[in-house]
């Protein structure tokens, strides 16, 4: 049976288990998701936490409702300074994983576990080529971390859990890392279904907002919801052919969420396109198209939107951007799904802060 580990305690109050050894945990990618994870892990005081960041960082401040948690953090900015660790939390964008190879090479050894805090399905297959003999631990993220400053992140927890992992020894070891923090860990017997449900909502919300350059209010339109419904039907057919338990009820729930979500919210892909950054295509609609090809399922609408996004990105790439620095994605980055929606509007200084940073 699936279990949710919840904690109402303040980060840092959970005592160390008798005889437990201190672990070294590296958080690679200090965007919204990585910053929240690193901050809460540091606050427990149980383990040594290393932030692998683009810029020097002395502290992380997490805002949640009317509370604030500030912790000092050890950060390194050069992969040459990275040594083997017990855990890596990989919190870059999915398409940035290959560029994180120098970091992963230094951090991973045969006893390392690499928890993948990224969008998409097939996390093990996507990550394994870059981590040597380390063990890949897939995870599903449902909290939203919005970077609003160099060292400040706003946490939102709209779902009943914040991180989900498989019900196996590696998943339970991951859950133990967060014991006593504000992040709720869901230990699931069917993680692949959770990953697919998250992919479903991302596969319509992200491309439609990115292509129309509109906020999520665009889903108030009946014709846009009809388009999204057909796209979701394609994706559900692929998921079922892949042995994943998803139904028409999932489609109805997603369409209801998109209809009712505040109209002034938007997606990370929308902000990425506004900022001229690389789009997370292969892990979202690209994953649906690839799975459809493998399983013999036609997905014409998902393929069409993927083609249009690639064309838009190719045209925009003609203009060089200054933020493609080749470092971990530690810039402002909204994350999570369906709560991976950041405040929208023109690319003001505030929204530049919430837009994801350059590629790794």
């Amino acid at each position: 049976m699936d279990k949710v580990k919840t904690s109402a305690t303040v980060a840092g109050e959970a005592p160390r288990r008798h005889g437990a050894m201190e672990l070294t945990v590296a958080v690679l990618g200090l965007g919204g998701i990585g910053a929240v994870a690193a901050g809460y892990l540091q606050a427990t005081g149980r383990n040594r936490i290393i932030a692998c960041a683009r810029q020097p960082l002395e502290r992380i401040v997490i805002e949640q409702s009317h509370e604030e948690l500030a912790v000092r953090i050890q950060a390194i900015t050069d992969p040459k300074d990275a040594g083997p660790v017990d855990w890596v939390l990989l919190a870059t964008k999915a398409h940035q994983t290959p560029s994180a190879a120098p970091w992963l090479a230094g951090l991973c050894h045969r006893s390392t576990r690499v928890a993948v805090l990224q969008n998409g399905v097939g996390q093990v297959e996507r990550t394994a080529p870059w981590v040597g003999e380390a063990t890949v631990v897939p995870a599903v993220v449902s909290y939203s971390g919005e970077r609003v400053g160099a060292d400040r992140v706003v946490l939102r927890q709209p779902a009943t859990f914040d991180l989900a992992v498989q019900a196996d020894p590696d998943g339970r070891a991951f859950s133990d890392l967060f014991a006593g923090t504000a992040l709720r860990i869901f230990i699931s017997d069917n993680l692949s279904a959770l990953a697919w449900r998250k992919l479903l909502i991302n596969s319509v919300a992200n491309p439609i907002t990115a292509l129309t350059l509109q906020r999520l209010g665009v889903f108030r339109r009946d014709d846009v919801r009809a388009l999204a419904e057909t796209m979701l039907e394609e994706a559900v057919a692929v998921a079922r052919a892949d042995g994943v338990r998803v139904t028409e009820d999932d489609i109805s729930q997603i369409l209801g969420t998109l209809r009712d979500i505040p109209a002034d919210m938007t997606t990370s892909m929308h902000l990425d396109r506004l900022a001229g950054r690389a789009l997370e295509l292969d892990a979202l609609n690209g994953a649906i198209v690839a799975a459809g090809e493998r399983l013999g399922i036609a997905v014409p609408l998902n393929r069409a939107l993927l083609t249009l996004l690639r064309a838009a990105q190719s045209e925009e790439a003609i203009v060089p951007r200054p933020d493609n620095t080749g470092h971990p994605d530690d810039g402002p980055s909204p994350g999570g799904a369906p709560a991976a929606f950041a405040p929208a509007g023109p690319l003001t200084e505030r929204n530049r802060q919430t837009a994801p940073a350059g590629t790794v």
Side-chain angles (χ1 to χ4, degrees), residues 108-132:
C108 295
H109 61 99
R110 64 184 306 173
S111 299
T112 302
R113 292 175 169 128
V114 180
V116 185
L117 276 58
Q118 296 177 337
N119 282 328
V121 295
Q123 292 179 338
V124 174
E125 295 80 4
R126 186 172 70 229
T127 309
W130 309 104
V131 300

Side-chain angles (χ1 to χ4, degrees), residues 82-159:
V85 297
D86 298 293
W87 279 91
V88 175
L89 305 191
L90 181 59
T92 65
K93 291 290 186 70
H95 61 271
Q96 297 169 335
T97 303
S99 296
W103 287 94
L104 293 169
L107 295 168
C108 295
H109 61 99
R110 64 184 306 173
S111 299
T112 302
R113 292 175 169 128
V114 180
V116 185
L117 276 58
Q118 296 177 337
N119 282 328
V121 295
Q123 292 179 338
V124 174
E125 295 80 4
R126 186 172 70 229
T127 309
W130 309 104
V131 300
E133 296 183 82
T135 299
V136 179
V137 182
V140 174
V141 181
S142 66
Y143 67 86
S144 170
E146 177 191 343
R147 283 288 293 270
V148 294
D151 61 2
R152 186 171 291 268
V153 60
V154 176
L155 170 65
R156 297 181 179 89
Q157 298 170 289

